[in-house]
Amino acid sequence: MKGTRFREVTREALGNILREVKIAIKPLPRPDKWVFIVGCYNSGTTLLSELIGRHPSVSALPTEGHFITDQFKKDYDLGIPRMWVDREDMFRLTENDEGPDVVRIKKEWGMRLDLSKRVLVEKSPPNTGRTRWFQEHFENAHFIGIVRNGYAVAEGISRKGDPKSIKDGWPIEKSAWQWARSNQIMLDDAEHLTNFHLLRYEDLAASPKGELDKIARFLSLPSFPDISQENFSIHERNDSVKDMNQTSIEKLSAADIAKINTIAGFMLDRLSYERIA
């Protein structure tokens, strides 16, 4: 047993050394633009990253960027999956914060990106609280925010709560607050950003090509290829781009809806989502 454990520790140590060597020799990414996709969990950030990554001038990280660097705290590691506003103090960064090692983050991300592309894309819902910091430290940073109906988002966050952290999923009132507060931070911080584009999940589902071409203009890129007939593997689904709001909303009880209205009604109104009685 001791020998087996020694070999495991040795392999881990060698793996860490090899990773450090790779980071050290990795060239620093220098794209025309860094693009950050932000928004609440379950709002379509994964779908949007997948769609934008289909552009021939774009390279998008294959998973959430905060999982690929050791410089940011992970919501899952802290026992608050899909609930970063519960520890806002550990996730929030502005231009006034010194923050983590910028060069290391860029190199860690660069190991998973095609650096020959003009535009490099990262998406992580917790980075919604760090947009002002990214603008300060990433050259020509552009931000694409996506919002989605709060009833559908709250239902999804509650349903997908990690059973390792919370057995029966998140209470609907906490999920509603995660949606409301993260969008509040995103919209308020957007007033400090030079390049910010906002879109709605519902509009993306209704007209993927139209919304993507708006993004292309925002990023000064040629139009996107037509993806209307393509399927995408997004979490547990493999399907074309569809609005899944009604499916989620139908799972809510009257009590759930009342709690969402009480806790997140101010953001439903701000984003012009019609309240359900």
Side-chain angles (χ1 to χ4, degrees):
M1 290 296 292
K2 289 183 179 180
T4 300
R5 178 58 181 160
F6 175 78
R7 287 192 293 272
E8 290 175 353
V9 171
T10 301
R11 281 197 295 270
E12 182 180 356
L14 289 174
N16 290 336
I17 292 171
L18 180 60
R19 184 171 188 273
E20 291 302 314
V21 170
K22 287 181 178 179
I23 292 173
I25 65 176
K26 185 70 180 180
L28 191 67
R30 300 185 186 279
D32 290 351
K33 294 180 181 70
W34 283 97
V35 177
F36 298 91
I37 298 173
V38 293
C40 185
Y41 308 95
N42 270 74
S43 292
T45 56
T46 301
L47 171 62
L48 185 57
S49 179
E50 173 73 16
L51 292 172
I52 293 176
R54 298 295 179 95
H55 195 286
S57 297
V58 170
S59 178
L61 284 171
T63 188
E64 295 180 9
H66 70 131
F67 290 138
I68 306 176
T69 176
D70 56 16
Q71 293 297 294
F72 291 132
K73 298 289 186 182
K74 280 73 169 172
D75 51 353
Y76 280 81
D77 291 344
L78 294 170
I80 50 170
R82 298 175 176 266
M83 197 60 61
W84 70 262
V85 301
D86 249 21
R87 290 302 309 274
E88 189 175 318
D89 60 309
M90 301 190 72
F91 291 88
R92 190 92 162 86
L93 290 173
T94 73
E95 64 277 0
N96 299 317
D97 296 302
E98 183 176 339
D101 186 333
V102 176
V103 171
R104 186 175 179 87
I105 294 171
K106 291 177 180 179
K107 286 193 170 190
E108 286 176 314
W109 288 351
M111 293 169 68
R112 305 291 295 275
L113 290 163
D114 181 351
L115 301 188
S116 70
K117 303 294 186 180
R118 295 169 47 200
V119 176
L120 303 181
V121 174
E122 188 278 341
K123 82 95 182 175
S124 298
N127 284 343
T128 302
R130 303 174 177 131
T131 56
R132 291 164 61 177
W133 185 85
F134 282 120
Q135 177 172 258
E136 182 72 15
H137 296 286
F138 283 69
E139 304 82 8
N140 199 17
H142 283 57
F143 301 89
I144 302 174
I146 184 168
V147 295
R148 183 182 178 187
N149 186 297
Y151 297 102
V153 173
E155 185 280 326
I157 292 174
S158 290
R159 172 168 42 85
K160 295 179 180 180
D162 185 353
K164 293 180 181 179
S165 302
I166 180 165
K167 183 178 179 181
D168 298 318
W170 292 112
I172 198 69
E173 54 265 40
K174 288 183 70 69
S175 300
W177 178 240
Q178 169 63 50
W179 176 79
R181 178 59 180 157
S182 60
N183 280 324
Q184 183 181 42
I185 290 171
M186 179 178 70
L187 296 176
D188 290 350
D189 281 4
E191 297 178 7
H192 299 266
L193 303 178
T194 302
N195 303 297
F196 180 78
H197 175 78
L198 183 67
L199 76 154
R200 300 167 79 90
Y201 163 87
E202 295 80 11
D203 293 336
L204 179 65
S207 178
K209 184 68 163 62
E211 292 303 310
L212 287 174
D213 282 344
K214 290 178 185 177
I215 291 172
R217 291 191 290 273
F218 171 65
L219 299 177
S220 300
L221 293 174
S223 294
F224 278 78
D226 185 8
I227 47 79
S228 59
Q229 302 303 314
E230 297 185 33
N231 284 2
F232 299 89
S233 296
I234 306 298
H235 301 307
E236 69 272 18
R237 294 179 57 245
N238 187 302
D239 205 345
S240 57
V241 180
K242 291 180 181 178
D243 186 336
M244 300 298 293
N245 282 352
Q246 194 57 37
T247 300
S248 289
I249 292 171
E250 288 174 353
K251 296 176 182 177
L252 296 170
S253 67
D256 291 335
I257 290 170
K259 290 175 182 177
I260 294 170
N261 287 338
T262 298
I263 293 167
F266 75 97
M267 187 53 61
L268 290 167
D269 296 340
R270 182 173 178 180
L271 291 173
S272 300
Y273 284 108
E274 183 177 354
R275 294 201 193 197
I276 300 174

